[in-house]
Amino acid sequence: MAGMVQEEESSSVTSSPLQLFSLMSLSPGLGSPYPWLRELKSEERGLCLIQLLVACANQVAAGSIENANIGLEHISYLASPDGDTMQRIAAYFTEALANRMLKGWPGLHKALNSTKISSVSEEILVQRLFFELCPVLRLSYVITNLAIIEAMEGEKMVHIIDLHSSEPAQWIDLLQALSARPEGPPHLRITGIHEQKEVLELMAHQLNQEAEKLDIGFQFNPIVSKLENLDIESLRVKTGEALAISSVLQLHSLLAFDDGMLRRNSPSASKSLNPIHLQMNPLTYGDFLEKDVNFYSQRPDSASSSSPVSFASSAKMGSFLNALRGLSPKLMVVTEQESNHNTQSLMERVTEALNFYAALFDCLESTVSRASMERQKVEKMLFGEQIKNIIACEGLERKERHEKLEKWIPRLELAGFGRVPLSYHAMLQATRLLQSYGYDGYKIKEEKGCLVICWQNTPLFSISAWRFRRYI
């Protein structure tokens, strides 16, 4: 271990990932040439995994497949989908990197993925498990519903467009809240959009049952469509209706269609690895990832950062937002991942994703047993697939193009939307929800009239409210 992991008086480890990777690359082949790797303590193993992952990703980005292959072999001795936080993350990142390498051989890649089956029931299951194990969706639904209730005060005809209609719990809660309005409930119409007919049928059944029980005038309008293929005319917005739009983790997928415009004049990632100073005894793996790997992240003034002007030329996103604005919504609430996974550079995406998903995996680590099959399904079928899409895919295939609030604000403003500050009451209710479920470690902070859900000090998701704004 001497010379590879050097412990200093300050309880820190100073080691270059390139040096570590090069040392380990001297002994390729079956069987670990370093059996002591498996005897490392959790924190030491985590630091070692970070260095190996970053080094391996750099080899993949540089097109050095042989070295990358050796790196993946060494990581495999430490990674585990049922281990601690960093072992789990490493398992899914190595799968994503391997998948990217395999795409260099299309026949091999297609053959290995030809029998994959993704059923509607599995999709419903993993979304339900994410809803139950992680409070993010609950918080988004509570804040969205409160904003709708406040905006629709006194309205008698309310129409809600749900851009990804898959969770009945959100609208069941809204129906119950509207039934208690002092002036009586409005007539509510929900237009639900989803690419799976079965999901919409389940939504319709449960919501109609609840509306009948509460004696509320209700109509559910299902639209089977992918978001990028949505026909705005099919939304059937009527005169006299007060319109609200709900988008939960959906808008970013449209950025795939504007890839060329958004990536213009982006410099390539650095092909070299600089030494990293890794701090021991971090609060969370997300903490030391943020400190020690962000040297790859570009500065805010970097040329690869999209300027507000570039949003105007974002054809697909721009036309979609303009079409929504044309419906004159009284309110639109947008929930998005608060991370930048939409850069051209693979290394930037890898380091951003490491920070973001380290925090998400930490969330589950704090509340769910490592042996939980439900947790493993969420990590594999949801987080793992997102990581794979961010790292292994390009062009239209790369849908997980998460961007931060600092980019969504000018994009929505240029499309003709005006910000609606979320109320203190919404923040209070969300905080109470966290307390009632005993979710320690989560925080909610206000930023520019929007709310940001954090794990410890790492921003995870943003929630912003908007309304139709007339051009003067």
Side-chain angles (χ1 to χ4, degrees):
M1 188 184 302
M4 297 178 66
V5 180
Q6 178 185 354
E7 186 168 349
E8 300 178 340
E9 293 180 2
S10 60
S11 297
S12 66
V13 174
T14 303
S15 178
S16 163
L18 183 57
Q19 292 170 345
L20 178 59
F21 183 74
S22 298
L23 276 170
M24 300 184 75
S25 297
L26 294 176
S27 303
L30 296 175
S32 172
Y34 298 99
W36 53 264
L37 283 174
R38 290 181 175 174
E39 305 303 319
L40 290 174
K41 295 178 181 178
S42 178
E43 288 179 353
E44 293 172 333
R45 182 176 57 231
L47 299 176
C48 188
L49 276 169
I50 291 173
Q51 294 189 350
L52 286 170
L53 277 171
V54 174
C56 183
N58 204 281
Q59 297 295 333
V60 173
S64 181
I65 302 304
E66 184 178 352
N67 284 338
N69 179 62
I70 296 169
L72 292 177
E73 182 183 359
H74 288 299
I75 294 170
S76 69
Y77 300 124
L78 300 177
S80 171
D82 58 1
D84 61 29
T85 297
M86 199 60 227
Q87 287 180 300
R88 289 170 182 250
I89 292 170
Y92 294 110
F93 271 80
T94 52
E95 183 180 354
L97 288 168
N99 198 274
R100 185 180 180 93
M101 290 162 62
L102 275 175
K103 288 191 174 185
W105 293 273
L108 183 60
H109 181 266
K110 289 178 181 177
L112 289 174
N113 290 276
S114 62
T115 58
K116 271 193 172 182
I117 299 174
S118 180
S119 67
V120 177
S121 59
E122 279 186 335
E123 180 184 333
I124 295 173
L125 171 64
V126 73
Q127 288 293 339
R128 166 55 57 173
L129 290 175
F130 181 51
F131 175 78
E132 292 175 351
L133 299 181
C134 190
V136 170
L137 291 181
R138 293 180 191 271
L139 291 170
S140 173
Y141 296 158
V142 165
I143 293 167
T144 298
N145 285 355
L146 282 170
I148 291 174
I149 291 167
E150 291 169 3
M152 300 302 172
E153 186 177 353
E155 296 288 353
K156 295 182 179 179
M157 300 282 291
V158 175
H159 183 185
I160 297 172
I161 297 173
D162 185 356
L163 296 184
H164 187 71
S165 196
S166 60
E167 180 50 66
Q170 177 180 9
W171 306 125
I172 288 175
D173 287 348
L174 182 66
L175 282 165
Q176 293 171 350
L178 290 174
S179 71
R181 278 201 327 184
E183 68 270 33
H187 181 279
L188 179 63
R189 187 155 69 98
I190 295 179
T191 295
I193 301 158
H194 199 280
E195 58 188 274
Q196 301 289 350
K197 182 181 179 182
E198 298 91 332
V199 173
L200 293 173
E201 288 175 344
L202 181 63
M203 286 282 293
H205 175 71
Q206 295 192 36
L207 295 181
N208 279 317
Q209 271 193 332
E210 187 67 22
E212 186 176 345
K213 185 170 68 175
L214 296 170
D215 194 24
I216 292 179
F218 176 74
Q219 181 183 356
F220 186 80
N221 177 36
I223 297 179
V224 180
S225 173
K226 292 183 177 181
L227 197 60
E228 63 263 28
N229 299 327
L230 179 64
D231 177 10
I232 295 297
E233 296 297 322
S234 67
L235 299 176
R236 299 187 305 178
V237 176
K238 301 175 182 177
T239 304
E241 289 180 332
L243 177 65
I245 300 170
S246 171
S247 175
V248 179
L249 310 180
Q250 293 305 304
L251 286 182
H252 64 261
S253 65
L254 297 177
L255 293 170
F257 295 88
D258 300 319
D259 182 75
M261 294 180 184
L262 288 173
R263 300 294 159 258
R264 189 175 296 159
N265 299 323
S266 174
S268 60
S270 171
K271 295 292 188 277
S272 63
L273 281 168
N274 298 319
I276 308 177
H277 185 72
L278 294 167
Q279 302 292 330
M280 293 294 287
N281 303 318
L283 292 175
T284 66
Y285 283 112
D287 289 338
F288 68 68
L289 276 167
E290 183 175 0
K291 291 177 183 177
D292 304 316
V293 189
N294 63 8
F295 70 95
Y296 280 108
S297 301
Q298 289 200 320
R299 299 183 301 275
D301 60 347
S302 166
S304 71
S305 299
S306 299
S307 66
V309 176
S310 70
F311 299 137
S313 61
S314 179
K316 184 70 174 182
M317 177 66 76
S319 63
F320 185 80
L321 292 177
N322 285 333
L324 292 184
R325 179 193 170 276
L327 299 174
S328 303
K330 194 169 185 180
L331 183 73
M332 180 167 74
V333 185
V334 176
T335 300
E336 281 291 334
Q337 290 88 341
E338 186 64 6
S339 191
N340 188 17
H341 298 144
N342 193 25
T343 60
Q344 186 178 27
S345 162
L346 173 63
M347 286 309 303
E348 289 177 21
R349 296 207 304 269
V350 167
T351 53
E352 280 280 332
L354 274 170
N355 280 310
F356 182 78
Y357 287 98
L360 275 182
F361 276 72
D362 266 338
C363 296
L364 295 183
E365 177 77 4
S366 71
T367 56
V368 189
S369 163
R370 289 181 185 177
S372 166
M373 289 303 298
E374 289 78 12
R375 173 182 171 180
Q376 289 184 36
K377 285 179 181 177
V378 170
E379 290 174 341
K380 179 175 177 59
M381 298 166 63
L382 187 62
F383 299 164
E385 288 302 308
Q386 290 174 0
I387 291 167
K388 189 185 300 181
N389 189 265
I390 291 166
I391 293 173
C393 300
E394 297 295 349
L396 288 176
E397 192 182 3
R398 180 154 60 87
K399 299 290 188 182
E400 302 298 338
R401 295 173 175 266
H402 313 144
E403 292 194 339
K404 294 185 178 182
L405 191 59
E406 63 191 27
K407 291 189 178 180
W408 283 109
I409 288 176
R411 179 179 285 122
L412 286 157
E413 287 177 343
L414 282 170
F417 287 92
R419 243 179 301 171
V420 178
L422 290 164
S423 67
Y424 175 76
H425 180 57
M427 186 171 182
L428 189 63
Q429 287 293 96
T431 302
R432 286 175 177 169
L433 176 67
L434 289 176
Q435 292 171 345
S436 68
Y437 280 95
Y439 288 119
D440 295 328
Y442 288 95
K443 301 176 184 177
I444 300 175
K445 66 177 183 179
E446 187 274 338
E447 184 177 325
K448 300 178 181 179
C450 311
L451 296 182
V452 178
I453 302 169
C454 304
W455 171 252
Q456 305 295 356
N457 296 314
T458 303
L460 291 179
F461 299 88
S462 66
I463 305 172
S464 57
W466 305 84
R467 67 173 298 160
F468 159 77
R469 187 182 66 203
R470 294 184 182 278
Y471 290 120
I472 297 175

